[in-house]
Amino acid sequence: MTIINHLAVFLSNNSHSEVLVQQLLSGNAKVPFTDFSGLKGVLFSTTTLQEFIVEEAKHQHTAVLENTSRTLQSMSSGERKKALLAYLLLQQPDFIILDNPFDNLDVASQQLLLQQLIAISHHTAIIQFVNRQAEQLPFITNTITIKNNVDTKPSNNEAFSGNIPPPLKQYTNDGNTLVEFKNITVKYEDRTIVKDINWVINGGEFWQLVGPNGAGKTTLLTMINGDNPKAYGQDLFLFGKRKGSGETVWDIKEKIGYLTPAMTDLFTTRHTLEHMIVSGFLDSIGLYKLPTNSQLQLANKWLIVIKLQHLKHTPFCKLSLGQQRMALLARAMVKHPPLLILDEPNAGLDDHNVAIVSALINKIAAESTTAILYVSHRTEKDITPQYVYELQPTNTGSIGFVRKL
């Protein structure tokens, strides 16, 4: 019986995993990966999936979905990863690189993927890139750690300097209610996504939105941030006004700070860290207007708080992943919006940086009047929302429940 060697590679967010991936896939693996040199490998990662989604958008077709009329764009995270894994296995690789495979999956989808990987491990070698100790696959016993020489900060409030700075202006709102769904139902053709949603978010509250992949979390988020036309004609109230009563999308976005890991790819080499944070005042990707002195001063105060002021002229894309995530938080909060939406803010981070970003989220909750809507499949022990809004799928669309913690 042939013994198949599997390997877990523990990385920090300062490790250059893309270099390791290229060496392995090119057949030129270096120590300690020489056992895989000359073998055929494939990459199972969010980056691979995103490349196929871009291909689909350009050509209305992708090789991942040859025998179905569905699109990757229309699928949940779990469905996308299942389709990608099936496609990669058709290539008959000698080994599969798994780059944080469980990111953005609900508990049920994680368990399903785990069972698939266990079955694959009987005939194909697996190299798992791991950021978090708890996610090491149970059948992998060989491990290595890729270390770096970058000084890191302590994973608590010592990572910050002083309190968060006050806003340049205070937003006004009719009453304390920021978001109110009244019996909201959303359908796409014959499929009901959510049904009879009733949910109120008040100023200063800290919410977590949970639910399995495909339950409708993204639908609710796009209705809140003004991007979903299904919000029109329904009893949805945003910042004291009924949706469709004369406000523009930009009127809504002005009062919302938003962070999603996907935003990282939008800031190119032209964008310095300082300019990226200033762009939060304008809700723009990049800085295309001259900032005011007061905006620059406030952005630099945020950089002092997160102890990145020495990097303010550094291109954002050159920062470590943990530094980028803290900077995106500062960008989202620089205008002190009434509502801050955090969509999987810790995705892809190692344990050390999860602790730092979680501490910054708690700091914002404690030192501002901004309401926070935190969206994640994962329950982080260091993040403590006051309330949970849970979507539960049914045959007639997902329904919602409120839990007070």
Side-chain angles (χ1 to χ4, degrees):
M1 179 178 178
T2 303
I3 298 176
I4 299 176
N5 292 321
H6 307 296
L7 184 62
V9 183
F10 284 91
L11 303 169
S12 78
N13 289 137
N14 296 312
S15 303
H16 298 292
S17 61
E18 66 277 5
V19 175
L20 298 178
V21 168
Q22 286 304 314
Q23 290 175 351
L24 286 162
L25 295 182
S26 67
N28 297 315
K30 312 297 183 184
V31 175
F33 303 102
T34 49
D35 286 349
F36 298 94
S37 185
L39 301 180
K40 178 182 179 181
V42 292
L43 175 62
F44 180 84
S45 72
T46 302
T47 301
T48 306
L49 198 49
Q50 189 59 41
E51 289 173 354
F52 280 114
I53 290 173
V54 170
E55 174 194 338
E56 180 181 81
K58 289 181 177 179
H59 306 293
Q60 287 74 55
H61 171 267
T62 175
V64 174
L65 301 174
E66 286 289 356
N67 300 311
T68 176
S69 60
R70 294 198 64 187
T71 64
L72 287 172
Q73 193 64 49
S74 69
M75 290 179 169
S76 69
S77 296
E79 291 171 326
R80 289 175 180 177
K81 291 196 173 187
K82 180 180 179 181
L84 176 61
L85 187 57
Y87 170 78
L88 294 176
L89 288 174
L90 288 175
Q91 315 309 309
Q92 297 184 321
D94 298 307
F95 65 90
I96 299 177
I97 303 171
L98 305 175
D99 190 356
N100 293 301
F102 300 111
D103 274 359
N104 301 321
L105 294 183
D106 59 45
V107 174
S109 296
Q110 289 179 27
Q111 288 301 312
L112 179 60
L113 178 57
L114 175 59
Q115 295 307 311
Q116 290 176 299
L117 294 175
I118 290 173
I120 291 168
S121 71
H122 294 148
H123 56 77
T124 304
I126 290 176
I127 303 174
Q128 182 190 10
F129 285 4
V130 195
N131 284 330
R132 308 193 67 175
Q133 294 280 344
E135 293 187 350
Q136 180 180 341
L137 291 168
F139 56 83
I140 298 181
T141 56
N142 297 320
T143 66
I144 63 170
T145 300
I146 304 296
K147 296 183 178 181
N148 62 82
N149 297 318
V150 178
D151 291 332
T152 52
K153 295 177 291 193
S155 56
N156 52 41
N157 276 325
E158 293 178 12
F160 313 117
S161 175
N163 294 334
I164 64 173
L168 292 180
K169 72 172 185 177
Q170 297 286 346
Y171 288 92
T172 58
N173 193 56
D174 296 334
N176 191 45
T177 299
L178 304 181
V179 177
E180 184 173 9
F181 290 82
K182 289 185 175 181
N183 297 314
I184 298 292
T185 296
V186 177
K187 296 182 178 180
Y188 289 95
E189 297 180 347
D190 295 331
R191 184 187 175 202
T192 301
I193 307 300
V194 293
K195 181 180 180 181
D196 297 333
I197 298 298
N198 290 280
W199 183 19
V200 175
I201 300 174
N202 293 312
E205 293 179 341
F206 191 167
W207 285 85
Q208 181 172 3
L209 174 61
V210 301
N213 294 122
K217 298 187 298 299
T218 299
T219 297
L220 297 191
L221 291 184
T222 55
M223 296 185 81
I224 292 172
N225 68 22
D227 290 334
N228 194 328
K230 295 290 185 178
Y232 291 99
Q234 303 213 52
D235 285 330
L236 173 63
F237 296 83
L238 302 173
F239 310 106
K241 296 182 179 179
R242 189 173 189 268
K243 177 65 177 175
S245 60
E247 83 292 343
T248 68
V249 169
W250 296 109
D251 292 331
I252 296 170
K253 290 184 182 297
E254 182 188 12
K255 296 182 179 180
I256 297 175
Y258 200 95
L259 184 156
T260 178
M263 295 174 68
T264 301
D265 298 331
L266 301 177
F267 294 95
T268 66
T269 54
R270 299 191 308 274
H271 307 117
T272 66
L273 171 59
E274 180 186 50
H275 284 177
M276 190 276 295
I277 291 181
V278 172
S279 73
F281 288 110
L282 308 172
D283 302 307
S284 62
I285 302 300
L287 192 61
Y288 305 102
K289 295 172 61 177
L290 281 176
T292 65
N293 286 334
S294 57
Q295 288 174 338
L296 283 171
Q297 289 171 4
L298 185 54
N300 279 277
K301 287 179 181 178
W302 273 96
L303 287 172
I304 291 171
V305 169
I306 60 177
K307 294 189 176 180
L308 295 180
Q309 68 271 28
H310 61 294
L311 298 173
K312 70 178 186 177
H313 297 307
T314 301
F316 175 77
C317 62
K318 300 296 185 182
L319 302 176
S320 73
L321 193 59
Q323 291 169 336
Q324 288 179 343
R325 207 62 57 84
M326 282 198 297
L328 286 173
L329 259 174
R331 176 186 182 272
M333 271 299 297
V334 71
K335 60 184 178 179
H336 277 250
L339 178 63
L340 174 64
I341 298 177
L342 305 175
D343 190 358
E344 298 284 0
N346 287 329
L349 296 182
D350 58 31
D351 289 325
H352 172 80
N353 282 295
V354 165
I356 293 178
V357 170
S358 297
L360 183 54
I361 292 170
N362 290 333
K363 185 177 179 67
I364 290 169
E367 298 177 14
S368 76
T369 59
T370 295
I372 297 175
L373 175 52
Y374 167 70
V375 187
S376 180
H377 295 300
R378 189 193 302 271
T379 300
E380 299 286 3
K381 62 181 178 62
D382 294 327
I383 296 181
T384 54
Q386 300 166 294
Y387 310 96
V388 170
Y389 194 79
E390 181 175 356
L391 290 173
Q392 295 184 1
T394 73
N395 291 333
T396 56
S398 294
I399 54 179
F401 299 90
V402 173
R403 289 192 280 118
K404 189 176 187 303
L405 300 179

